[in-house]
Amino acid sequence: GDVYKRQVKERAFFYLDLIDKLQHEGESNKNQYFDLPSINEVENIEKYVLDNMGSIKESDDYKVLEYQTISDYAKTHAPAPSKQTDRSRLVEDYVEPQYNSVEVAPQMDKVSLKPNFPEHEIFSMIGDLKLSTQPKELTDPKSEYQVMLVKHFYEPCFVLEFKVKNTLDNIILKDVTANLQLGSEDLRITHIFSANEIKYNATESFFIIVARNPDQRVITGSGGCFLKFIVCEVNPGTTEEITSYDDEYQIEDVEILVSDYMVPQGLPNLTFTNTFDHIQGEEIAQTYQLSYKTVELAVKGLIKHFGMAVCDSSDEINVNNKFHSLYLSGSYLRLEHVMIICMVGIDANLGCVVKIRVKSKDGVLSTCLLYTSPSPRDS
């Protein structure tokens, strides 16, 4: 069925991710996920996945991606010469993520933005675009290099699009890319597509593809980001190059948030509790002690954290009640309906206490959402 096809496609993308990692790190880590027959056969394994992508996408049979199938293919095909010059343009750099604490920023509304991706087979295998975030500024509006970030979400991965504007006269930026860390072992940068050239007052995009662990649903992370590029000084009024040098430029941290994965999905007024009771799936719950000073701040923070629709006017707080119930409804990547009840109260000894109840058809999704506790910085 559709679920099996989706899982097969996710596994295909994950295999390519592992292959790219091996090509950069060598044999020393080749047993981290599964044993490859030989590092010299890696390109043929990748070739198998790409050559058979049509049947893989349509197949309900996991055997098309079993280790033995791709191993036999690799062993029976002589290793092809590596095209390092071509791949170096497509895979500019590999960044091993390091752990960092996650800070949650305000929710961004979702829009339909069709990205103008470079021509490469990797973009044909990631499936349909599920949602894109609104552009977020990563630099000051008056900075010499202005950068905006749009996150494009697909089932097995997401694509970070960095829109860079060059405001310096007589300067051309070349080979513009980024050094990025996302702070999660479940997020892995697989490909970086640089912007070849950005002239004065022009805006161009470069792209970073990030594979998600297919066993997880909502994976967050954050980390520092530096633009990397070549600065070319040219004569005024011409493109004649005077000098050039490598440079980098620090921009704001890149954050992958819980709210990035969610689309608000409202319900008719006064229908939330009945819908929650009858929606398929097992309810799971967890109680948190958070650092919010008031119920009002906690409610605002929870809404921003989850990025879902508020139902039954439950963001309106009655100060006379000991506890307040917040009702949230949303859609995960436009694939799965999720409902959340947050019971918020202030205790004299414990401070802010929040019990979060989550329900959806996908138990893994519910668990991922439940254990991504919000931060007071949401507010």
Side-chain angles (χ1 to χ4, degrees):
D2 292 340
V3 173
Y4 289 121
K5 291 179 182 179
R6 188 171 75 196
Q7 291 173 338
V8 168
K9 183 166 63 177
E10 289 176 352
R11 291 180 65 191
F13 193 87
F14 198 63
Y15 269 105
L16 284 183
D17 166 31
L18 295 176
I19 290 164
D20 275 325
K21 185 175 189 298
L22 287 168
Q23 287 176 326
H24 285 80
E25 295 187 359
E27 262 190 323
S28 61
N29 293 330
K30 73 177 183 178
N31 295 323
Q32 182 176 358
Y33 296 97
F34 61 90
D35 291 330
L36 292 175
S38 167
I39 195 64
N40 293 326
E41 297 163 354
V42 166
E43 286 190 352
N44 293 90
I45 295 174
E46 181 176 22
K47 185 177 185 297
Y48 169 83
V49 177
L50 292 176
D51 288 351
N52 294 275
M53 189 50 56
S55 59
I56 289 172
K57 286 183 178 180
E58 299 300 323
S59 176
D60 292 346
D61 187 357
Y62 275 20
K63 290 182 180 180
V64 296
L65 279 177
E66 282 184 347
Y67 167 75
Q68 194 61 48
T69 303
I70 61 175
S71 176
D72 291 345
Y73 181 91
K75 289 178 179 179
T76 56
H77 288 70
S82 178
K83 298 181 180 180
Q84 293 296 331
T85 54
D86 291 340
R87 290 191 63 82
S88 66
R89 295 295 302 167
L90 299 174
V91 188
E92 295 286 343
D93 195 10
Y94 179 83
V95 181
E96 182 65 30
Q98 301 295 324
Y99 179 79
N100 290 293
S101 59
V102 178
E103 298 181 5
V104 182
Q107 174 192 359
M108 292 178 289
D109 293 333
K110 309 304 183 296
V111 294
S112 297
L113 297 174
K114 186 175 181 180
N116 184 22
F117 288 147
E119 292 186 5
H120 186 254
E121 60 265 27
I122 196 70
F123 291 104
S124 67
M125 62 179 289
I126 59 179
D128 297 328
L129 176 64
K130 300 304 178 184
L131 61 88
S132 296
T133 63
Q134 287 280 10
K136 178 185 177 182
E137 292 184 352
L138 298 181
T139 53
D140 187 275
K142 297 181 180 179
S143 62
E144 54 193 21
Y145 308 125
Q146 297 173 8
V147 183
M148 303 190 76
L149 173 64
V150 180
K151 309 166 199 174
H152 305 285
F153 281 81
Y154 299 79
E155 287 185 57
C157 69
F158 55 84
V159 180
L160 303 177
E161 179 180 4
F162 293 81
K163 297 175 177 286
V164 183
K165 181 177 181 179
N166 173 23
T167 67
L168 296 182
D169 198 4
N170 303 323
I171 292 293
I172 297 176
L173 305 181
K174 294 186 177 181
D175 294 332
V176 183
T177 181
N179 184 356
L180 170 66
Q181 299 188 5
L182 291 173
S184 172
E185 294 180 354
D186 292 316
L187 297 175
R188 197 174 301 280
I189 294 173
T190 62
H191 296 77
I192 299 181
F193 295 82
S194 63
N196 293 331
E197 181 179 271
I198 308 177
K199 297 180 180 180
Y200 166 66
N201 213 30
T203 300
E204 300 291 343
S205 295
F206 68 88
F207 302 88
I208 298 179
I209 301 179
V210 181
R212 308 198 317 269
N213 182 344
D215 295 329
Q216 302 296 324
R217 300 292 185 271
V218 177
I219 305 170
T220 60
S222 69
C225 187
F226 288 82
L227 294 186
K228 299 193 303 181
F229 46 83
I230 300 172
V231 177
C232 298
E233 298 182 12
V234 298
N235 283 321
T238 71
T239 58
E240 180 183 356
E241 183 176 316
I242 301 174
T243 185
S244 64
Y245 54 89
D246 293 337
D247 201 0
E248 63 180 27
Y249 189 81
Q250 185 173 13
I251 58 179
E252 289 186 14
D253 288 0
V254 171
E255 298 175 310
I256 309 303
L257 311 174
V258 173
S259 59
D260 290 336
Y261 295 85
M262 305 303 296
V263 177
Q265 182 175 331
L267 297 172
N269 196 34
L270 302 180
T271 63
F272 181 91
T273 54
N274 184 62
T275 306
F276 187 91
D277 291 339
H278 290 88
I279 190 175
Q280 293 183 13
E282 181 180 355
E283 176 188 330
I284 58 175
Q286 180 70 38
T287 300
Y288 293 97
Q289 182 181 351
L290 302 177
S291 300
Y292 294 107
K293 300 301 183 182
T294 67
V295 172
E296 290 85 353
L297 289 176
V299 167
K300 291 179 180 178
L302 289 162
I303 293 171
K304 289 182 179 180
H305 174 76
F306 288 113
M308 300 165 68
V310 176
C311 297
D312 296 353
S313 301
S314 58
D315 54 342
E316 299 176 3
I317 300 167
N318 186 338
V319 296
N320 295 320
N321 293 340
K322 186 176 181 180
F323 282 89
H324 178 78
S325 294
L326 172 67
Y327 301 148
L328 300 174
S329 172
S331 174
Y332 165 74
L333 296 182
R334 305 186 193 277
L335 296 171
E336 192 70 59
H337 186 204
V338 182
M339 301 183 72
I340 296 178
I341 298 176
C342 301
M343 300 178 64
V344 187
I346 301 294
D347 181 86
N349 297 318
L350 299 177
C352 182
V353 178
V354 180
K355 182 178 182 179
I356 301 177
R357 303 163 57 193
V358 183
K359 200 171 183 182
S360 75
K361 293 180 182 179
D362 187 335
V364 175
L365 171 60
S366 296
T367 300
C368 288
L369 287 170
L370 185 63
Y371 290 102
T372 57
S373 60
S375 161
R377 285 168 291 191
D378 291 351
S379 58

